[in-house]
């Protein structure tokens, strides 16, 4: 974690050393906060206004005309906040835990995935490889960093009865143990705004929350109703929604024909049932070939497919939409296709077959509509 930093309410654009002591007052992580409007306490946050601005960013706005009090680079910071909330939902972390994580990342990095920090601190939470948080590469992965924070938080006895500051400090062991409190209101507003964009995430209760099948206003279920889905099989009772776009129906139907075929990294997905392993599918070639059979051209890799079509909020998914996970929102490592009814078809990884999984198991970093 970071060492002692500048007093709350004062922002430095470069580290300053105290003569004779040699102690850094402002870590390089704090140096990213360049706005002079930063105050010692963000109070009276307008949650509705935050939700409106967050939605603009998640819908693809550039950030030029988006203003969120306390965030000076919302186009970068909001997607990172989304990753933190998504990781919390994936791990069934209660709402309070997600707020603690957001407040922590705001204090440690201003919600930026930093490649520097005090000593060997890195990433959103300024975690240190030398302190056992993982390799530098792992810590720079926002999903990994978020999951590590949550795993450490959940090991803190009685954390749910602690204040945000107490819980964050129990994990971070920061030189500024009281600094996290200033971000609680903004973290609360961000969590509420972002959680609503995930299927079933509106109540975002984590463990102990209602686990009955639920839908959003668009009828996007979370997949709970199908129970355990054997790999390579179609859940009993599933049918491609009748109101799905005809091209989406074709793409989903073709992808389902590849169920049970083994994943092959770099495979073309042009003959998944054939003898040549390179004819099998990886995640992005499955998407490419499924849509090719529906008359829609997609690029080949996950890194480029995340820019296809238009961005859509995860809460408003339609059958055929591509959803992305692992890595970051701008450079995801995995892609699947939403099938409706809270289900996703994917080619997951080496040794695993093309399969259908419930969307609740996904940490969605981005979603694209290519039709």
């Amino acid at each position: 974690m970071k060492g002692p930093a500048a007093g709350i309410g004062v922002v430095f654009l470069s580290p300053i050393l105290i003569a004779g002591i040699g102690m850094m007052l402002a870590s390089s992580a704090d140096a990213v906060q360049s706005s002079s409007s930063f105050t010692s306490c963000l109070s009276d946050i307008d949650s509705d206004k935050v939700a409106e601005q967050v939605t603009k960013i998640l819908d693809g706005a550039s950030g030029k005309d988006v203003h969120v009090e306390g965030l000076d680079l919302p186009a970068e910071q909001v997607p990172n906040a989304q990753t933190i909330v998504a990781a919390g939902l994936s791990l069934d972390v209660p709402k309070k835990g997600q707020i603690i994580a957001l407040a922590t990342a705001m204090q440690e990095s201003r919600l930026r995935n930093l490649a520097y920090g005090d000593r060997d601190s890195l990433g959103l939470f300024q975690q240190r490889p030398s302190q056992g948080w993982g390799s530098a590469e792992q810590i720079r992965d926002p999903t990994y960093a978020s999951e590590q924070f949550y795993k450490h938080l959940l090991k803190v006895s009685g954390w749910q009865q602690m204040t945000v500051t107490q819980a964050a400090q129990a994990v971070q062991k920061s030189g500024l143990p009281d600094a996290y409190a200033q971000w609680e209101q903004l973290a609360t507003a961000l969590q509420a705004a972002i959680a609503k964009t995930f299927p079933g995430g509106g109540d975002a209760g984590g463990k102990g929350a209602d686990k009955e099948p639920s839908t959003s206003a668009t009828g996007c279920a979370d997949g709970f109703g199908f129970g355990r889905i054997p790999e390579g099989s179609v859940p009993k009772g599933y049918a491609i929604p009748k109101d799905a776009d005809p091209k989406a129906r074709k793409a989903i139907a073709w992808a389902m024909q590849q169920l049970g075929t083994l994943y092959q990294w770099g495979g073309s997905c042009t003959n998944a049932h054939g003898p040549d392993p390179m004819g099998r599918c990886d995640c992005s070639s499955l998407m490419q070939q499924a849509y090719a059979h529906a008359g829609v051209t997609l690029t080949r890799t996950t890194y480029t497919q995340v820019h296809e079509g238009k961005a859509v909020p995860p809460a408003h998914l339609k059958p055929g939409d591509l959803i992305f996970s692992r890595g970051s929102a701008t450079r995801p490592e995995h892609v699947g296709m939403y099938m409706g009814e809270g289900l996703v078809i994917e080619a997951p990884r080496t040794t695993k077959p093309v399969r259908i999984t419930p969307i609740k198991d996904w940490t969605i970093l981005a979603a694209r509509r290519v039709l």
Side-chain angles (χ1 to χ4, degrees), residues 150-226:
Y150 286 126
K151 289 175 181 178
H152 282 72
L153 175 65
L154 295 175
K155 291 179 181 179
V156 175
S157 178
W159 69 268
Q160 292 197 61
Q161 286 71 52
M162 296 179 180
T163 65
V164 167
T165 288
Q166 290 169 337
Q169 177 62 7
V171 175
Q172 300 294 98
K173 299 177 175 60
S174 169
L176 281 177
D178 298 320
Y180 303 104
Q182 65 187 309
W183 303 106
E184 184 173 352
Q185 285 199 31
L186 178 55
T188 300
L190 283 174
Q191 191 280 334
I194 293 170
K196 291 177 182 177
T197 69
F198 291 92
D203 51 7
K207 292 181 179 178
D210 182 10
K211 293 297 185 179
E212 291 299 314
S214 59
T215 59
S216 70
T218 59
C220 179
D222 56 20
F224 279 116
F226 292 102

Side-chain angles (χ1 to χ4, degrees), residues 89-209:
L89 291 171
S90 178
L91 294 173
D92 279 334
V93 176
K95 175 181 176 180
K96 181 174 181 178
Q98 297 169 36
I99 292 170
I100 293 168
L102 288 168
T104 300
M106 288 178 205
Q107 173 59 26
E108 297 287 355
S109 69
R110 300 300 187 266
L111 279 173
R112 298 186 67 186
N113 189 22
L114 301 178
Y116 56 85
D118 178 41
R119 288 167 285 188
D120 59 339
S121 299
L122 297 167
L124 291 175
F125 297 89
Q126 290 291 280
Q127 295 158 339
R128 299 179 61 191
S130 64
Q131 299 299 310
W133 286 90
S135 67
E137 182 179 5
Q138 288 174 319
I139 291 171
R140 290 293 316 290
D141 179 337
T143 298
Y144 173 90
S146 300
E147 291 175 346
Q148 286 300 305
F149 177 87
Y150 286 126
K151 289 175 181 178
H152 282 72
L153 175 65
L154 295 175
K155 291 179 181 179
V156 175
S157 178
W159 69 268
Q160 292 197 61
Q161 286 71 52
M162 296 179 180
T163 65
V164 167
T165 288
Q166 290 169 337
Q169 177 62 7
V171 175
Q172 300 294 98
K173 299 177 175 60
S174 169
L176 281 177
D178 298 320
Y180 303 104
Q182 65 187 309
W183 303 106
E184 184 173 352
Q185 285 199 31
L186 178 55
T188 300
L190 283 174
Q191 191 280 334
I194 293 170
K196 291 177 182 177
T197 69
F198 291 92
D203 51 7
K207 292 181 179 178

